[in-house]
Amino acid sequence: MNAYDDPGGDGIVLDVVRHPSMFRTHVLGPAEGVPTLDRWHIDAHGGAVKEERLDDRGQEFPRVDERRVGLPHRYGYAPAVAREEDHFATEAALLCHDLEAGTSTARSFGAGTSLGEAVFVPRADDAGEADGWVLVLVYSAETDRSALHILNADDVTGDPEAVVELPQRVPAGFHGNWVPDAG
């Protein structure tokens, strides 16, 4: 999700999706337990790494507001995942974490859907961390097409600002970033 210098000056803080095991029994990818959101505190003086569980629910591809990369952050977004036999499948839910309050909300997209990586877009260059939109690609197995859902970042469970229906499926694994006007 993100990493930054510990505000206390004693190390590095990493918010990561932690897999219980990787490639031990499944050489084609991580499928050996539910990936959880954890925080690692790395001691700058060579002490032990402290691990803290932030969320027990399975999730992948967590993101923060790109303006906060490398800095302390409050919010993060991640598609929920669940273990299904020999692979991970999304539960068609987007998790929104408020790491300062220690809470999270989930927005369901319904049965037969799966999600891509969520991207935060600020309302303006000087907007607050949750003042903007979350963009997420939603695939529908029923129609074999994708749609771009644009959600208010301060309430991802509310009605979407817009849904852009695409004429085909966007393949899973497509990663995205928001790049403001390059002009």
Side-chain angles (χ1 to χ4, degrees), residues 76-100:
Y77 310 91
V81 298
R83 180 97 164 98
E84 285 188 4
E85 297 183 23
D86 291 330
H87 65 282
F88 290 108
T90 64
E91 292 179 333
L94 177 66
L95 302 174
C96 174
H97 299 286
D98 181 337
L99 300 173
E100 194 174 284

Side-chain angles (χ1 to χ4, degrees), residues 62-181:
R63 298 288 297 262
V64 297
D65 177 342
E66 292 291 320
R67 300 170 301 166
R68 304 302 306 166
V69 170
L71 301 169
H73 61 278
R74 178 173 180 174
Y75 299 101
Y77 310 91
V81 298
R83 180 97 164 98
E84 285 188 4
E85 297 183 23
D86 291 330
H87 65 282
F88 290 108
T90 64
E91 292 179 333
L94 177 66
L95 302 174
C96 174
H97 299 286
D98 181 337
L99 300 173
E100 194 174 284
T103 62
S104 63
T105 56
R107 178 194 180 80
S108 174
F109 290 89
T113 60
S114 61
L115 306 182
E117 186 175 16
V119 176
F120 174 81
V121 179
R123 192 172 308 274
D125 289 344
D126 61 350
E129 191 176 346
D131 185 11
W133 303 274
V134 177
L135 280 59
V136 62
L137 284 168
V138 180
Y139 168 71
S140 168
E142 181 179 331
T143 63
D144 194 32
R145 293 170 56 180
S146 296
L148 175 66
H149 286 244
I150 302 171
L151 311 171
N152 277 315
D154 60 357
D155 180 16
V156 298
T157 61
D159 289 336
E161 286 289 311
V163 176
V164 180
E165 298 290 343
L166 302 174
Q168 64 190 43
R169 173 182 66 90
V170 175
F174 180 82
H175 297 281
N177 288 300
W178 176 258
V179 178
D181 183 8

Side-chain angles (χ1 to χ4, degrees), residues 16 18 36 38-41 49-53:
V16 302
R18 182 186 181 279
T36 57
D38 289 11
R39 177 168 283 171
W40 296 343
H41 300 266
V49 173
K50 296 177 185 168
E51 188 171 7
E52 169 188 0
R53 178 69 38 92

